[in-house]
Amino acid sequence: MFQKLREILNNVDADYADIRYEIKREGVISFSGKELTQVGSSSTDGYVIRALKDGGLASVVFTRESDAQKAVKTVLENAKLISKTVEKPVKLAQAEAVKETFIPPLKEDPREISMEEKLELVRKYNDIPLAHEKIATTSIKYEDVIREKYFLSSEGSEIREDLVTTRLSGEIISADGNLRQNLRVRRGGSSGFSTVRNQESYFEKRTGIVLDLLKARPVMGGVYNCILNPDLTGVFTHEAFGHYSEADLIENLPSMREKMKIGNKLGNDVLNIVDNATLPEQLGFYKYDDEGVKVRSTQLMKNGVLSGRLHSRRTAAEFGEPLSGHTVAEDYRYAPIIRMGTIFIEPGEHTFDDLVNMLGDGLYILDAKGGETSGESFSFGAQYAYEVKNGKVGKMVRDLNISGNLYQTLKDITAVGDDLVLSKVGGCGKWQTNIRSCSGGPHIIINSLVVGGA
Amino acid sequence: MEKLLELARKKSDKAEIYSVEYTSNQVSFENAKLQNIDSKFQSGVSLRIIKDGKLGFAYTRNLINRQELVQNAIDSLKGGVEAEYDFPLTKEIPKLDKYDSSLEGVSSAQMVEECARVCDILKSKTDGEIEMHSFVNIDKLRILNTQGTDISEKGTTYTMFGGATYPGSGAGIWRVFRSKKFEKMPADLVNTLIDLYKLSSKVVEPKGGKMKVLFMPNSMLTLLWRLFSGASSKSVYEKTSPIADKIGEKVFDEKLTIYDDPLNDKNPGARAFDDEGVACKPLTLVEKGVLKSFFYDLDYAKKLKAKSTGHGYRTTQWGGDPITLKPIPAVSHLTLKPGNKSFAELVKSMNKGVILEYALGAHSGNIPNGDYSVAVSPGVYVEKGEIVGRVKDGMVAGNIYETLKNVTDLSDTLYPCFTGEWMPLILCDNVSVATKK
């Protein structure tokens, strides 16, 4: 394969160029209620070329080998067009040329497990909620997504890496009269099919929660002091803070760049945030990004002070900061962009009981239900919560959406728990989707969150 | 393709080929400067076969090995996905004017020039941080099946999407422009953006409570996703739609007539047939507030003993790569019968309320139930018919089956949403707005 890629790359008359070829294999099993709606596996493939010419960087995607010549011509024309227009030529930070094949160790390779066996397992999980009368339906999807990547650069890098993702995702919907409640299920990871085995008790627990939600009261909208569970801590860290650690999102927003200067004190003293995609067996794990840069653990915040950032080669040069290896594409249909790997708030010293006592009155909010961020504002849904009164966890409430201002909220994180849980399933959208997006943290206390209820 | 169909026919009872080719070019300006040009040339083939009432499904980018594609589809038959439906025989399809060959010749340089022109205007007239994206899309679709259907169509879409962001906030005023051909972004669209940006620059901190909310094109998904969920035959079949048994009943305000109009080729993206080869036709979902119909694909039509309404699309809530997706019931051309007030008149009629420019978190929350709870990004605040500034960190929440019973007015113009629909602005009363006060 590399020989073929080299032939294409040799035709790119640029100051720098790289080509990535990928075969993407996807296996899918999905259930809608009792009904099996999709089973199958297929593979697709395609190419991405990036070229830097006279300070202009452009990219092209193509899926037919016969389009290679057209693609090369297009990417060079576009790079030259950019170079004529830009005030400041694009530079790429120096990166080491690497020749390596990295196939991650797996506990059970999903490619070697029969469709029948996968189907039987997913059906077993799906049947757990459906055994209950007040479960209206389920929507459960099993996927294995395997990216077999070949990366070649004009600087001499030649990297072959596999990313194997297994995931069980979907939701359980309960109903009572006109009332419907839904609860997400999320299992899986990067280390093989074993990550979706033995999940019966997880499905039982989730079923119990979505049934309880039928009896829960809608939360009263207002401002609350809150404990967030690790899943929600992760989503907050990812949505509200993490995206602004992605250099490409702030590169051309002068005011955000000013606010996000390294050394700025943005958070409470108790806050330490890191992105560490080198942690093995976590969903976010990889070795080289889609620019061929080795990923490294990056401390983003230390004691509330901004201490690092996630970079591409382009933004690392632009900001004059170290490379981090975070330039990742969804697949061969996209040029890579800056992505979080495994981002989390580092654990502190408080037990969960300490946190509940410290909170006194407020809400204990659990599990994310989607989030979005725009500049300093963020919003995310939560699956459910419990009222906390006088340091005691009480009744369940539902219909929660939380919003806030990033800078204020970072200051309002007043206590950090001693546990750490990282997410098993990802799906971050930023023009393209990153199913390996991993986030987490401990339980934390955030004061004065706006909670929008029904 | 014909050979592939022949091969699939030999191994199954029924077969369908969905084949696409698309090229796209995207130019992006950030901080009013050219940042990126991305081009794509893609193609793909997806195969559905039905044998003994079971479905087989497989896809590929490059049809190098027909045998392998057919074998992958046959292998997936073993899963036992039920498929009781037939593929349609569609011979006559409406002739649509959806392809403008001039778009094929539009260069990156022309796109750059136009983006630069609009960026310069916005930069000179506002203090915002300017972002602008321009897209040229050319799509070809062909569907063949063993019933004898062999239909194809070709379309062009030119989109410009961008705006001015209040410095440091991430929120701003953005507009979408869409056409079948390359055109300059109209001056009145640019001017509206500038005016609204200027009027809403000041941050205000009003007290929360129940008030009027004007849903704008960029926040329309807040309502649409819940509506799609409720009116989908899939939700009806799965008993997750709160309006499953309400055909003929009043579910919304009588000012609302909601319909799908795939044949309207005035705007780009019209469709003569859906992704299953069923001929498209207009469908009224809600007439004067009364629920008239759900939308069906082949599969759910069969399950519910109805007929496909031509709404089988290979998509998800987030779009996606069509060849890899099985069709589901979906509406792609939803619109509302417009009202008779201009944007300015709608604002004038608001004693107190929020113009919801963009909503953060439209995808979260209990969508099947119709609940929404979104952060304003921004919410332009109106008092006594005048825009007084913008709200930060506020939330708008409710349930569409309540909110859309309280429609005060609709705009007289349809505007493009960034997801492809053309919608009027919808002014609703008595919506809950939470602020820090």
Side-chain angles (χ1 to χ4, degrees), chain B residues 204-215 349-356 372 376 379-383 388 391 394-397 403 406-408 426-437:
Chain B
V204 291
E205 294 184 326
K207 228 176 121 215
K210 299 262 183 179
M211 60 183 81
K212 282 188 175 163
V213 170
L214 181 60
F215 289 89
S349 73
M350 292 166 74
N351 184 39
K352 179 180 158 183
V354 166
I355 303 171
L356 188 60
Y372 64 90
V376 301
V380 177
Y381 188 64
V382 179
E383 240 173 31
V388 292
V391 185
M395 293 202 82
V396 174
T403 305
N406 295 314
V407 175
T408 308
I426 307 176
L427 181 61
C428 300
D429 201 0
N430 221 14
V431 182
S432 160
V433 177
T435 63
K436 282 232 168 185
K437 276 201 173 168

Side-chain angles (χ1 to χ4, degrees), chain A residues 132-150:
Chain A
H132 295 261
E133 190 195 336
K134 287 195 171 164
I135 297 296
T137 191
T138 55
S139 158
I140 306 288
K141 193 173 195 181
Y142 163 84
E143 290 161 281
D144 43 59
V145 181
I146 296 140
R147 289 175 65 193
E148 298 171 13
K149 308 193 292 173
Y150 299 77

Side-chain angles (χ1 to χ4, degrees), chain A residues 32 35 37 59 333 372, chain B residues 38 40 238 303 326 358:
Chain A
S32 242
E35 217 162 289
T37 55
S59 66
R333 296 173 299 143
E372 196 176 354
Chain B
D38 289 316
K40 293 182 201 278
E238 289 169 355
K303 285 176 172 148
K326 234 187 69 172
Y358 182 74

Side-chain angles (χ1 to χ4, degrees), chain A residues 26 32-33 35-45 57-65 67 70-71 74 78 81-82 85-87 116 119 123 136-138 141 171 173 178-182 184 223 244 248 251-256 259 314 332-335 369-381 398-399 401-405 407-408 412 431 448-454, chain B residues 21 23 25-26 30-31 33-43 55 57-62 68-69 72 76 78-82 108-109 112 129 131 133 135 161 165-171 234 237-242 246 299-300 303 320-321 323-326 358-369 371-377 392-395 397-398 432 434-436:
Chain A
E26 291 168 284
S32 242
E35 217 162 289
L36 179 69
T37 55
Q38 192 170 348
V39 178
S41 54
S42 283
S43 71
T44 54
D45 62 331
L57 178 67
S59 66
V60 65
V61 166
F62 61 102
T63 54
R64 281 189 186 130
E65 204 187 321
D67 279 336
K70 181 165 77 173
T74 305
N78 287 340
L81 178 63
I82 296 175
T85 319
V86 289
E87 290 163 20
E116 287 83 351
L119 182 58
R123 195 189 299 273
T137 191
T138 55
K141 193 173 195 181
E171 59 182 3
I173 300 177
N178 274 336
L179 179 67
R180 263 152 200 85
Q181 290 297 309
N182 56 346
R184 291 185 178 185
V223 178
Y244 293 95
D248 56 352
E251 183 184 358
N252 294 303
L253 294 171
S255 51
M256 287 300 284
K259 282 190 181 178
R314 170 192 185 143
Y332 61 84
R333 296 173 299 143
Y334 299 94
K369 206 176 191 176
E372 196 176 354
T373 177
S374 165
E376 60 189 333
S377 301
F378 65 86
S379 162
F380 43 84
R398 61 176 168 84
D399 301 341
N401 263 273
I402 301 155
S403 74
N405 177 287
Y407 303 106
Q408 190 53 45
D412 288 339
W431 299 98
S448 313
L449 271 178
V450 178
V451 177
Chain B
E21 263 181 65
T23 63
N25 202 22
Q26 178 185 355
E30 292 178 9
N31 197 21
K33 291 186 200 109
L34 176 60
Q35 177 76 3
N36 265 323
I37 307 178
D38 289 316
S39 307
K40 293 182 201 278
F41 309 103
Q42 299 185 85
S43 59
L55 179 75
F57 183 72
Y59 52 85
T60 184
R61 284 276 164 222
N62 292 295
E68 187 185 305
L69 182 66
N72 280 343
S76 74
K78 283 184 268 177
V81 176
E82 307 253 339
S108 300
V112 167
E129 289 166 344
E131 201 172 321
H133 303 271
F135 308 80
F161 174 52
T165 299
Y166 315 107
S169 76
K234 184 172 186 281
Y237 178 74
E238 289 169 355
K239 301 189 169 60
T240 55
S241 168
K246 298 220 166 27
D299 189 10
Y300 287 93
K303 285 176 172 148
D321 185 2
I323 63 159
T324 69
L325 300 167
K326 234 187 69 172
Y358 182 74
L360 282 180
H363 59 294
S364 30
N366 190 341
I367 290 181
N369 212 44
D371 299 340
Y372 64 90
S373 184
V374 293
V376 301
S377 181
K392 275 166 55 167
D393 309 331
M395 293 202 82
S432 160
T435 63
K436 282 232 168 185

